[in-house]
């Protein structure tokens, strides 16, 4: 019963005691159809990669208190409530090797009315362990809470859950898109702000960048006057200051359009608040194109230290994400059209031309949408070598990824990109930004936590290489 959801994906982590990794932990729910006192949970059995764990190494934690299995047997007052998450730890004295592991859990609940052995539930999940002591010393690793948007939207994760998950994988930085997870934006309640600071302090995290939007066109209903747009940007910086961020990433219109006059007008307030404004280099921006050159010129002319870039690694896509193409196939797009679109992307053909050709080929609305997206990645003409000249201006990295399978991201050349970033002397945060959930949610269960864990394992391996 409920066995597909017995083992939670979030919270899989090494357990550290006195500075040494002594085991691992994961979160689980009761498989029985009601909550029970702990004494009625007659057994919990855990195996890792097919090897049973010793009974005496297993610990059960609920409501902040940890129990051995023998202690659970004598606990008649504390309950494992239906739907409540408990933490199950295996304290074997050794660390699980970093990488994927098959975790199996068997729960036995033995109520009086049921014959022996009782109600037995079995759960299984493959999850990746990330070693918390292997954080690179030069670059910091963080997570954008945007990565957990799917689970947050469905109520499977709260803000507190998301922040805890960032800490569980050994990340040190946290990035926030407040319009996703902040009621009352841009003037949240004092209670919300206090809770944010409590979570950050509790988990020992550092706020990296607050992602904001200045919707200058107002969906075409009216254009914001210059002063009003500047005022909104200043309000966002004030909010960032209130939350402990040192930088914001404002999007002010189409991602390839710069807004140097807007930013210039806000620089005095940026300096007053000590907040860096970091417009995003985001696909389909060319590294040496008008967006980057306009802001570099502004930096050089003003000498400001409060303007730079957020670098989104999607600008280095060398192929369209495979998850996107698989989704198009599920929605009926044929191979001939798919071959044309992927070829057009490889040749960096203009998006309008690609859409027109797909229409001529009899493409459906789904196919035409995909054709329009051929210009939403890369472009392939962006060279990793061109990044070196821009890195002195980069204040944050959106470590974009779409899907980590077999330890790799197929669309983005991560080894080359991270090598160049490391060689540049960059000491800021690389914040995981998972964007594949939208490409699979129509057909598959989304597991953003596992994808982010795999991504951190990938980045740590490459940065140590």
């Amino acid at each position: 019963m409920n066995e597909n959801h017995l083992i939670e994906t979030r919270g899989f982590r090494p357990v550290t005691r006195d500075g040494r990794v002594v085991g691992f932990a994961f979160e689980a729910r009761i498989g029985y159809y009601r909550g029970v006192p702990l004494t009625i949970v007659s057994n919990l059995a855990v195996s890792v990669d097919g090897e049973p764990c010793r009974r005496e190494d297993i610990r059960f934690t609920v409501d902040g208190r940890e129990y051995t299995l023998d202690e659970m047997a004598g606990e008649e007052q504390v309950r494992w409530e239906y739907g409540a998450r408990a933490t199950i730890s295996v304290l074997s004295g050794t660390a699980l090797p970093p990488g994927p592991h098959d975790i199996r859990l068997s729960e036995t609940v033995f109520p009086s009315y049921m014959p022996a052995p009782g109600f037995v539930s079995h759960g299984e999940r493959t999850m990746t362990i990330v070693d918390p002591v292997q954080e690179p010393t030069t670059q910091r690793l963080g997570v954008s809470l945007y990565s957990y948007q799917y689970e947050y939207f469905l109520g499977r994760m709260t803000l507190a859950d998301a922040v805890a998950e960032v800490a569980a994988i050994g990340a040190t930085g946290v990035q926030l898109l407040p319009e996703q997870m902040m009621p009352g934006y841009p003037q949240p309640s004092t209670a919300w702000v206090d809770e944010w600071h409590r979570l950050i302090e509790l988990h020992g995290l550092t706020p990296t960048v607050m992602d904001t939007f200045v919707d200058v066109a107002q969906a075409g209903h009216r254009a914001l006057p210059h002063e009003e747009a500047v005022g909104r940007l200043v309000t966002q910086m004030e909010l960032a200051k209130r939350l402990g961020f040192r930088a914001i990433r404002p999007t002010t219109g189409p991602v390839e359009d710069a807004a140097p006059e807007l930013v210039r007008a806000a620089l005095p307030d940026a300096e007053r608040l000590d907040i860096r404004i970091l417009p995003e280099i985001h696909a389909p921006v060319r590294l040496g194109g008008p967006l980057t050159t306009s802001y570099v010129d502004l930096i050089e002319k003003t000498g400001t230290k409060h303007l730079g870039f957020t670098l989104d690694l999607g600008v280095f896509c060398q192929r369209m994400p495979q998850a996107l193409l698989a989704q198009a196939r599920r929605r009926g797009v044929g191979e001939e059209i798919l071959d044309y679109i992927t070829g057009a992307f490889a040749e960096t053909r203009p998006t309008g031309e690609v859409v027109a050709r797909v229409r001529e080929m009899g493409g459906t609305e789904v196919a035409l949408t995909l054709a329009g997206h051929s210009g939403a990645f890369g472009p392939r003409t962006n060279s990793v070598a061109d990044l070196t000249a821009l890195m002195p201006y980069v204040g944050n990295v959106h470590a974009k990824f779409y899907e980590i399978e077999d330890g790799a991201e197929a669309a983005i050349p991560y080894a080359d990109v991270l090598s160049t970033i490391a060689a540049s002397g960059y000491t800021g945060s690389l914040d995981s930004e998972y964007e594949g959930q939208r490409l699979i949610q129509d057909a598959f269960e989304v597991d953003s936590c596992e994808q982010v864990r795999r991504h951190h394992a990938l980045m740590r391996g490459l940065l140590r290489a």
Side-chain angles (χ1 to χ4, degrees), residues 92-234:
S92 63
T94 59
L96 280 183
H101 295 280
D102 181 51
I103 307 298
R104 298 187 181 188
L105 169 67
S106 294
E107 301 173 0
T108 303
V109 176
F110 195 4
S112 300
Y113 76 90
M114 187 170 287
F119 191 94
V120 183
S121 304
H122 303 281
E124 178 178 358
R125 189 182 287 272
T126 298
M127 299 183 288
T128 298
I129 202 81
V130 182
D131 190 341
V133 301
Q134 295 297 319
E135 173 107 4
T137 56
T138 303
Q139 296 80 31
R140 294 179 287 119
L141 295 182
V143 179
S144 171
L145 299 187
Y146 174 94
S147 301
Y148 306 124
Q149 62 181 278
Y150 180 85
E151 288 82 356
Y152 182 85
F153 178 77
L154 293 178
R156 296 175 181 175
M157 292 180 78
T158 63
L159 175 68
D161 293 330
V163 173
E165 179 64 17
V166 173
I169 65 174
T172 59
V174 61
Q175 188 168 147
L176 176 69
L177 198 167
E179 289 178 277
Q180 276 188 339
M181 298 184 177
M182 177 189 290
Y185 173 88
Q187 301 294 343
S189 67
T190 300
W192 193 98
V193 174
D194 289 346
E195 174 65 4
W196 167 260
H197 285 294
R198 186 190 72 81
L199 292 171
I200 295 301
E201 182 178 359
L202 173 66
H203 296 292
L205 298 173
T206 299
T208 58
V209 170
M210 193 180 83
D211 298 320
T212 70
F213 298 84
V214 181
D215 293 306
V216 294
Q218 296 291 284
H221 301 300
R222 73 179 180 98
L224 291 186
H226 176 74
E227 294 77 10
E228 185 177 353
V230 173
R232 292 194 183 190
L233 186 55
V234 171

Side-chain angles (χ1 to χ4, degrees), residues 134-139 141 414-423 456-465:
Q134 295 297 319
E135 173 107 4
T137 56
T138 303
Q139 296 80 31
L141 295 182
Y414 256 88
D416 292 341
V417 174
L418 292 194
S419 175
T420 301
I421 290 173
H456 269 243
L458 168 66
M459 291 199 295
R460 292 182 188 201
L462 292 173
L463 290 167
R464 291 196 302 267

Side-chain angles (χ1 to χ4, degrees), residues 36 57 60 68 76 94 107 118 204 206 245 249 321 386 434 441 443 449:
V36 297
D57 292 340
F60 178 91
T68 66
E76 299 184 4
T94 59
E107 301 173 0
T206 299
F245 288 94
R249 181 239 60 188
D386 296 334
Y434 175 47
Q441 53 84 29
C449 295

